[in-house]
Amino acid sequence: MTAPALEDPPLADLPAPKRERGRQRVAAIMDAAVEVFSEKGYDAATMTEIAARSSTAIGSLYRFFPSKEALADALLQRYAQHVSASLAELEAQVQRMSMEALAGALVDFMLALQSQRRFAVALVDARGGSDERRRRFRASARGGIARILQRAIDGLAPAKAHAMSVVLLHLLKGIAVAADETPAIQAVLTGEIRELVRLYLLAARREARG
Amino acid sequence: MTAPALEDPPLADLPAPKRERGRQRVAAIMDAAVEVFSEKGYDAATMTEIAARSSTAIGSLYRFFPSKEALADALLQRYAQHVSASLAELEAQVQRMSMEALAGALVDFMLALQSQRRFAVALVDARGGSDERRRRFRASARGGIARILQRAIDGLAPAKAHAMSVVLLHLLKGIAVAADETPAIQAVLTGEIRELVRLYLLAARREARG
Amino acid sequence: MTAPALEDPPLADLPAPKRERGRQRVAAIMDAAVEVFSEKGYDAATMTEIAARSSTAIGSLYRFFPSKEALADALLQRYAQHVSASLAELEAQVQRMSMEALAGALVDFMLALQSQRRFAVALVDARGGSDERRRRFRASARGGIARILQRAIDGLAPAKAHAMSVVLLHLLKGIAVAADETPAIQAVLTGEIRELVRLYLLAARREARG
Amino acid sequence: MTAPALEDPPLADLPAPKRERGRQRVAAIMDAAVEVFSEKGYDAATMTEIAARSSTAIGSLYRFFPSKEALADALLQRYAQHVSASLAELEAQVQRMSMEALAGALVDFMLALQSQRRFAVALVDARGGSDERRRRFRASARGGIARILQRAIDGLAPAKAHAMSVVLLHLLKGIAVAADETPAIQAVLTGEIRELVRLYLLAARREARG
DNA sequence: AATGAATGAGGCTTCATTCAT
DNA sequence: AATGAATGAAGCCTCATTCAT
């Protein structure tokens, strides 16, 4: 039972670059966009800079992404697929993982996302892209976590799993926040969070076994 | 020993409105600003809209707050004082509170901030106002929580208290996130977080007693 | 034969402050205005700053001078009277002054104006006050010089005197320009100009004697 | 040995329009800017009006000149090159010109600049553009005149040449002032100035031969 | 199809002037 | 009469987006 895809017909109306050239271009633009959105935030990022950083003419950029919001949405979508895939993978392995191991795995999952963290903050938590897309992103991530929890903890009520997924996701996001601190502090904070996740999972299992 | 004030001469140097009229105006502006910043985020919020929402001429707005950043900073400062005072109050009462009670108190503290939550996200977590003021705000809040923890848990190492304060603050912020959900879900999430806070505090005490 | 007054009914419509208080206030405003116009130029000068520098409420300033232009005009008028008076005085003494002495006197006349030079540049040469007032100011100054010339040089044709007055005034203004240089250079330039004025006067006399 | 160029890479760093179209646009903008700066002075001139007069969208104007000051500087630079070139040309011809001829040539040089006179007043003498550029402009013009004088007058001390250049330049500027008068008067004034320049040159030669 | 010049709405801010107190 | 708060037009500049080449 894998994660249900997040996807819509992938930006169907965009000229779906068949040529390899086009695909590279789109990738370059998206990478530059992640950079710029991360550094400046959605509002302060400019299409011109994204074009420049990806060595793309502004006109070409608009050929692939018809608006700033469309670009942000595409980014969000790509990120969602990435997250979705990661969670699906984790779900496949979780079967009888100890709570301890699961806590570690969840933290690792978040650490692996680090590179895109500023970007995620810029677009998911702030106002980039459409509300709709943001909502869907969140729902998908929560669903992924909830499924993992239900696999990991026998007898966990679906409602409880969902509630926990919201709290866990939020808690894990703290790892991203920690990235602003010095590496030493960062390590400490990451440890704290892992421990807290563990406590949470254990308590949930206790309750589920009730 | 109460929390050290965050304050500079409150809103220093701004031509502190002498007439009563002016004070109302300032309050109206700040309230409108909280609304607009909350809805749109710092960058997308416009001074024009803030002026309109508070029925203030743009020129008047600038009389009181000489720049968008100054306005954001003033808001942040007011919020910081509020938070600081709340934490100081909590600190005074924490003496031999049970971990359970403390968890509840911390959650309540956050719930009491609800009304300003989107605003806090918009200005503290995003890129609004001066970095400096944001940094100070965070340091103050963390310090307040850390002091509470040390009072509440005998033998808690200062470093541990500080690390916990960061994690706790983040966790509590989840209550704000919950505000986007339906009241029913919100209640559930708030409960989850309270429970998690309790688990965290208990574990910390266990460890402190070693 | 003294200089014809430049004056209009001195700002007739202004509430002609009868009280001593008012006169002082007006003087303070005008002095502050000279300062500010000098430092910033007409456009960049602000009524608010002029009010502040003269410790006058902005509302009061507007009571005495109904607009920025009116203030500039009043300044120009006062300056014109000053210049007019100086020239009239010089005219009275010029009778049989040597050309050399006259050259010196003219240069001294300009040096005496130094303190108001930046102001004059700001308002006379640039666009402060009304065109009309500027025109009148120039005409008056030229007339004053022309009369002096005719007294100093027997047989000087009126047309020639007028032409010379234009050139002389312009030349003398060079002394003001020199004020931007170091004192040493300033002295040299002043000397050059004095010498040139002398040459000019001598040549004119030669020609007048034909 | 010709005048050292004033130039930086002409209008460096401005996105030097490649297409022919762009070049025309830039020229139109600069011409309109000269007009507007001349009529209104630096401060009172508005970018909006300059755009309108050159039938340019405001955004386009800013594409070529990223700020009002940059535009003024570019104008000043163009003017400086023009002046520099004229003076270099004059320098090349001055070798054994009579003082009379030189006086005429200098006056002609100034007359040739007429078309840009108000502009020069607006930007060089007033507070437009960067101080630095103004300073450089003046230094260059003075240097150009000083070199001409030294070529024209054997044995002229460099210090004296420099002092004279300042005075001469100022005197010649009087020709521009004359442009406000009727053509008849203008002619008379131009004549006066030419004569005065001649007197000045002759006196200097006398002194140099001493 | 690719390019980058052109467009203009709209943002922040200033300041002359008015008007309620 | 004196004060200074209030007003809003207008200035500079940015940037998402369009369009001619």
Side-chain angles (χ1 to χ4, degrees), chain A residues 67-83:
Chain A
S67 74
K68 190 179 180 179
E69 186 173 339
L71 175 53
D73 277 352
L75 256 31
L76 216 43
Q77 186 178 195
R78 186 175 74 168
Y79 182 59
Q81 283 168 345
H82 182 140
V83 168

Side-chain angles (χ1 to χ4, degrees), chain A residues 39-108:
Chain A
E39 287 170 23
K40 313 271 179 80
Y42 179 77
D43 288 304
T46 75
M47 294 298 266
T48 302
E49 178 165 7
I50 291 169
R53 286 233 212 155
S54 56
S55 305
T56 303
I58 184 70
S60 303
L61 195 170
Y62 270 86
R63 176 167 288 302
F64 295 120
F65 302 96
S67 74
K68 190 179 180 179
E69 186 173 339
L71 175 53
D73 277 352
L75 256 31
L76 216 43
Q77 186 178 195
R78 186 175 74 168
Y79 182 59
Q81 283 168 345
H82 182 140
V83 168
S84 203
S86 298
L87 289 179
E89 198 182 339
L90 183 50
E91 187 184 348
Q93 304 167 344
V94 89
Q95 202 57 49
R96 261 162 234 137
M97 222 178 231
S98 71
M99 290 304 96
E100 188 127 42
L102 180 53
L106 287 171
V107 167
D108 289 347

Side-chain angles (χ1 to χ4, degrees), chain C residues 3-173:
Chain C
L6 287 202
E7 47 199 321
D8 329 28
L11 303 181
D13 52 328
L14 297 184
K18 278 156 194 141
R19 316 249 186 269
E20 184 51 19
R21 267 288 285 303
R23 205 154 325 152
Q24 286 175 23
R25 182 88 316 167
V26 166
I29 292 171
M30 292 181 87
D31 292 344
V34 166
E35 265 184 50
V36 178
F37 281 133
S38 299
E39 288 169 21
K40 313 271 179 81
Y42 179 78
D43 288 304
T46 75
M47 294 298 266
T48 301
E49 179 166 7
I50 291 169
R53 286 233 213 156
S54 56
S55 305
T56 302
I58 184 70
S60 304
L61 195 170
Y62 270 85
R63 177 167 287 301
F64 295 120
F65 302 96
S67 74
K68 191 178 181 181
E69 184 172 341
L71 174 53
D73 277 352
L75 257 30
L76 216 43
Q77 186 177 195
R78 186 176 73 168
Y79 182 59
Q81 283 168 344
H82 182 140
V83 167
S84 202
S86 298
L87 289 179
E89 197 182 338
L90 182 51
E91 187 185 348
Q93 303 166 342
V94 89
Q95 203 56 50
R96 259 162 237 135
M97 225 177 228
S98 71
M99 290 303 96
E100 189 125 41
L102 181 53
L106 286 171
V107 168
D108 289 346
F109 152 74
M110 211 62 194
L111 286 172
L113 257 38
Q114 277 306 354
S115 66
Q116 308 206 293
R117 139 205 132 64
R118 298 272 295 162
F119 151 70
V121 167
L123 294 196
V124 183
D125 290 346
R127 258 145 291 267
S130 68
D131 268 351
E132 176 48 20
R133 184 82 69 193
R134 278 204 311 276
R135 205 182 335 280
R136 273 203 270 162
F137 171 70
R138 273 199 273 256
S140 153
R142 287 171 183 179
I145 295 280
R147 268 191 307 281
I148 289 172
L149 292 176
Q150 292 205 265
R151 280 210 159 195
I153 302 177
D154 282 342
L156 188 67
K160 171 74 178 181
H162 186 264
M164 285 185 71
S165 75
V166 176
V167 173
L168 271 174
L169 268 170
H170 173 73
L171 187 51
L172 290 170
K173 220 159 54 186

Side-chain angles (χ1 to χ4, degrees), chain D:
Chain D
M1 194 178 299
T2 33
L6 286 202
E7 46 197 321
D8 325 25
L11 303 183
D13 82 302
L14 297 183
K18 274 143 201 158
R19 317 253 191 275
E20 176 53 27
R21 184 78 170 297
R23 212 156 318 146
Q24 288 173 25
R25 184 73 4 139
V26 166
I29 291 171
M30 291 181 89
D31 292 344
V34 166
E35 266 184 49
V36 178
F37 280 133
S38 299
E39 286 170 25
K40 312 274 179 79
Y42 179 78
D43 284 314
T46 76
M47 294 299 267
T48 302
E49 179 165 7
I50 291 170
R53 282 233 217 155
S54 56
S55 304
T56 301
I58 186 69
S60 303
L61 197 171
Y62 274 89
R63 179 176 215 31
F64 296 117
F65 303 96
S67 73
K68 190 178 179 180
E69 185 172 339
L71 175 52
D73 278 354
L75 256 30
L76 213 44
Q77 190 176 185
R78 184 177 74 168
Y79 183 58
Q81 283 168 346
H82 184 139
V83 167
S84 199
S86 298
L87 289 179
E89 197 182 338
L90 183 50
E91 188 185 348
Q93 305 166 344
V94 90
Q95 201 57 48
R96 261 165 233 135
M97 222 177 230
S98 72
M99 290 305 96
E100 189 125 40
L102 180 53
L106 286 171
V107 167
D108 289 345
F109 152 74
M110 211 63 194
L111 285 171
L113 256 39
Q114 276 308 354
S115 65
Q116 308 205 294
R117 131 208 139 60
R118 299 273 293 163
F119 151 70
V121 168
L123 292 196
V124 184
D125 290 346
R127 256 157 287 263
S130 72
D131 269 349
E132 177 47 20
R133 181 88 65 201
R134 268 190 333 264
R135 209 185 327 283
R136 272 204 272 164
F137 173 71
R138 272 200 273 255
S140 152
R142 288 172 183 179
I145 295 281
R147 266 191 308 280
I148 289 173
L149 292 177
Q150 293 205 264
R151 279 210 158 197
I153 303 178
D154 282 342
L156 188 66
K160 171 77 177 179
H162 186 263
M164 285 185 72
S165 75
V166 176
V167 174
L168 271 175
L169 231 21
H170 174 72
L171 186 52
L172 291 169
K173 222 157 53 186
I175 291 173
V177 174
D180 280 337
E181 314 286 338
T182 65
I185 297 185
Q186 195 179 337
V188 172
L189 293 176
T190 303
E192 287 288 315
I193 289 174
R194 178 164 27 229
E195 179 57 15
L196 192 45
V197 170
R198 194 180 62 93
L199 288 174
Y200 196 24
L201 295 175
L202 286 172
R205 189 169 61 183
R206 227 177 296 132
E207 186 187 320
R209 287 179 174 169

